[in-house]
Amino acid sequence: SMRLLAKEVGVTEGALYRHFQSKDEIIQDLLTQEASRFHDALASRLPESPESASTPRDPWAELDALVAAFIDYGRKEAESFRLIMEIHGSPGSTLQPRGRKPRTLFVGTISRINARTPDRKSDPTATVVMIVGLLSRLIVAERTKDLKLGPAQVVLLAQRSARAVVDAAWIPSAL
């Protein structure tokens, strides 16, 4: 309830209602803030753009960087990561982060990979859903000590698995 939330954060219930109309609005604001932090953490790890605009970044290198940053964020920002995955990924959830979304970085990268191979198509959003599910499970398995791999091995496994998902998600354009 708003009363319990106000007590927990050390403000009056009235103070909360001056800034937020409902608990959903508080959760929405928190989700947006955390998703923006996640987006910025991923974006900061993308390879630098080449000096020549005619030579774009390698999208496979982008994918590897995004995957490594995703795993790193899940490790270092466990509560933020959990919040984003649980609220945003909950079945039937209508809450969506506003502004900068980590998913857009992955979708853009998958779209650039697709553009390099015109005879094959994939749905970048569906591909990203599969990659995020895989990466999220790896983070949980690492946290619960179900994986017997070192941190660098987990990142390499995640990168290779994400590349395999991208490759498997391609559908020949003749279909």
Side-chain angles (χ1 to χ4, degrees):
S1 73
M2 292 291 270
R3 186 179 330 108
L4 290 174
L5 182 59
K7 183 178 177 183
E8 184 70 27
V9 296
V11 299
T12 67
E13 191 174 351
L16 275 181
Y17 277 113
R18 277 193 290 279
H19 296 285
F20 302 101
Q21 297 296 314
S22 66
K23 286 186 291 185
D24 281 350
E25 190 176 325
I26 293 170
I27 294 168
Q28 176 69 57
D29 189 59
L30 183 60
L31 178 61
T32 296
Q33 287 179 30
E34 294 306 310
S36 291
R37 283 184 55 225
F38 192 12
H39 173 279
D40 294 348
L42 296 179
S44 72
R45 299 272 294 272
L46 286 172
E48 291 293 319
S49 294
E51 290 182 28
S52 167
S54 64
T55 311
R57 290 191 297 225
D58 174 19
W60 289 105
E62 282 183 33
L63 180 63
D64 288 345
L66 288 171
V67 166
F70 189 103
I71 296 290
D72 193 46
Y73 191 87
R75 288 172 174 157
K76 293 180 180 174
E77 303 289 342
E79 286 304 309
S80 173
F81 182 79
R82 186 183 62 75
L83 173 84
I84 294 166
M85 293 298 124
E86 284 184 14
I87 293 175
H88 183 53
S90 296
S93 174
T94 59
L95 296 173
Q96 295 288 321
R98 296 183 198 109
R100 298 182 312 275
K101 300 173 188 169
R103 175 184 58 215
T104 60
L105 296 169
F106 276 98
V107 168
T109 297
I110 302 302
S111 296
R112 285 187 288 285
I113 291 170
N114 286 344
R116 287 189 163 193
T117 314
D119 61 328
R120 296 170 114 184
K121 294 181 184 179
S122 73
D123 178 340
T125 301
T127 305
V128 171
V129 167
M130 290 184 280
I131 290 171
V132 167
L134 173 92
L135 298 178
S136 298
R137 292 302 307 150
L138 280 172
I139 290 167
V140 169
E142 183 179 45
R143 189 175 299 133
T144 58
K145 309 284 189 234
D146 289 338
L147 291 179
K148 307 302 182 219
L149 302 172
Q153 292 171 311
V154 171
V155 170
L156 182 59
L157 174 63
Q159 289 168 329
R160 292 178 65 196
S161 298
R163 283 175 174 245
V165 167
V166 170
D167 192 46
W170 278 341
I171 301 166
S173 57
L175 292 179

